[in-house]
Amino acid sequence: MLHRLFIMLLVLGCGCAHAMEIQGPRYLQPGDTAMFSIADHSSYDQFHWQHSRFYGDIMTGGEKQQLAQLHLDETSTDRQIVLHTYGMRGWNYDSASIQIQVRDDKPVLSGTDIQGPAMLSKGKAGLFSLSALPADALISWQVADSQGDQRGITVTPDEQQVSVLVKEGYQGVGPIHIYAFVTSAGWQHRFEFQASLQQAQPRPTLSLVKAQRYTSLVPGKISALLDNVPDDAQISYHWSLLTPPYGGDLTLQNADASEVVMLASQLTSVQKATLALAVDIVSPDLDVTLKKEFELTITPNLPPQIDFQLPVSSLWFNEVAQLAVMVTEAEQETYSLRLEHANSDALVITPQSPGLYQLQATSNENSTEQIIIVATDQHGHESRSVVELALKKLPQIRFTHAASHYALSQIPLRAEVDIAASEIKDISWQQSAGERVVLDTQVALDSGFTASPTPQTYQFELNITLSEQTSVAATTLLTTEEITQLNDSGDRRLIDEQGQWLRNRPDSLALPGLDAQTGRDSDVSLIKHGAGPDGFDFSFISAQGTEVAAYSPAASCLKDNLTGWYWLLKTASQYPLEQQLPLSAQCDSTPCSIRGLVTQLNQQQLCGVADWRLPTATQALSVMSLNDRDPVLSWLSNDEAGDFNQYLHLRTATTRTGADGEPQVYVISWFGSEMSSQWQNPSRSLHFFLIGGQ
């Protein structure tokens, strides 16, 4: 602490010597620390100290090194110490010396002490003095805080007393130490006084509590907060508008209170306004005015924002949907909500709860309906949002299959719907009458089944699902008839009483009982699954047994839909009509006989048939026609444009034993509209048809 005192030592005594003089004690006692100074050092630039040898240490300090602190060790045996200093003034200097005797009889200054206030306050000076001083006393004062720092402390000495002022801006810490160095009778005595530092009342401060943004037409509050205000202070508030928002107005309510209410209006965009606040604070010890200028950001008052949820974009007739409307009011103000819709005959809107509406399609016609959602706030600001909803007419189901078929036949189920396939969610066929059958598929518009042998009526319902709420259905009836007859002859010719043919002439001139007047060939409402000339009903079948288009290159067989029999197509490339084969023969490659070909076809199960054979005479005649203008041979040969000007001698499976005991085969000779038959030798190579199926 002695070293720190040395650094802060101030020579505050009265130096009256005109020559340079070292002030300090003439005597030291071992263990003492003494302060030495130059009485008048202002005219010098720098000082240099020298000393004789002694057992202790010395330190110099001060702005010009005009101070010296000398400490003599307690065990010192020195008897005398000489201090010498040089005062430099440019190239010139002065010098001074002092001799200090070491003695052990240091007297005590009885009754001498520092008197003064026990507490100092910032900004107020405290006066300290020494009492009971000897008449020859020379006094030096030193003041510092507990850190040895004098910054922020003003010291004014006046001989036996000193004034100490701690400035307002002082940042040090208390207490404040006041030291007095009294030199008397050649000895130096140190006295210390400690004064506490009273924490000064902090100055009042002003802060504001305000929002980051304010909204036009919505009252906004701004509050003033004061700190460090004396309890007995009188406070006055003065709020004012310096710069209004551009293009708008701003008014202040309660402008003389700590909390002001601001109301802006007529804003169409975000603007700023500048306000000011002056606060007067008056008390017995304080009179101050605190001021603040600040900016406010003000946003325009926005209309309500509309959002909605509608889970569907369209409704079928009689369907319902829930429309949920959400309104966001940025200013948290009240608002009204309404829905506008012009065509109440097509769409009925029923409120269910605030913001929730039920929509029901009440028109079975296609249309697009617009619902306008309108939200209006308390200032009349309005928002609109348009909801578009498509209303859809329920589709009609139309069945395109024939209503009558033969027993045991493959019966198609075909339906058409007048909407896009993408609008169909599900398809389901259900049988509701008739002997139970297995459908080809239950989930497509086109299906089918194989009729049972018993003639009957079948009923099916087609259900088409359009949505979770809506489906349409239709019922179709199909009847099957018993197969009781073979195909007709196909002869459409008529003849009159004079023996003249009446082709394309009225039937009234024809003789009665002719073949052209009876049978399937004369039935104008004939049931056909496929197609064919006259009363024939054929379908082309692929090698795999599936139905293909008429005259398709993929066809291998011809199915007679009346009898259910399959006929091998006599195509020019594989089994030509003009080909004649023996019933049996030995060969190494391609079948060279009818029996060899039958064996091959049954192994292949061509067209799904495994009982290929020669037809009987009755079976062969069932597909032979005398109509040469629309020849059935074009169907049997898969040759729509063929020219069939040739005789066919067709072997049948019908045989007998002749009068001579030899076997005979029934052969049908056919050319155009002429036909005959005879029994022939079975060993001959003949033309042939092959039949399959039961």
Side-chain angles (χ1 to χ4, degrees), residues 76-121:
S76 171
T77 59
D78 296 302
R79 306 313 301 167
Q80 181 175 284
I81 303 170
V82 178
L83 281 181
H84 193 81
T85 185
Y86 297 91
M88 310 301 295
R89 186 186 300 114
W91 294 101
N92 300 314
Y93 68 89
D94 293 325
S95 64
S97 298
I98 186 172
Q99 290 186 356
I100 306 151
Q101 294 183 18
V102 179
R103 296 165 51 175
D104 56 4
D105 58 346
K106 183 176 182 179
V108 177
L109 289 183
S110 178
T112 303
D113 199 3
I114 299 176
Q115 304 294 323
M119 181 171 291
L120 292 173
S121 299

Side-chain angles (χ1 to χ4, degrees), residues 323-344:
L323 172 63
V325 180
M326 290 74 70
V327 178
T328 303
E329 229 299 328
E331 296 79 28
Q332 303 296 312
E333 297 175 319
T334 58
Y335 62 87
S336 62
L337 179 66
R338 71 179 188 276
L339 268 57
E340 297 179 354
H341 175 248
N343 190 3
S344 59

Side-chain angles (χ1 to χ4, degrees), residues 404-439:
S404 299
H405 297 269
Y406 290 107
L408 274 177
S409 65
Q410 180 66 31
I411 299 178
L413 293 171
R414 297 191 181 97
E416 293 180 351
V417 187
D418 54 352
I419 57 172
S422 60
E423 294 193 289
I424 298 176
K425 301 298 183 283
D426 190 28
I427 297 173
S428 175
W429 288 93
Q430 298 293 331
Q431 183 180 355
S432 54
E435 186 177 338
R436 190 62 54 188
V437 297
V438 178
L439 294 177

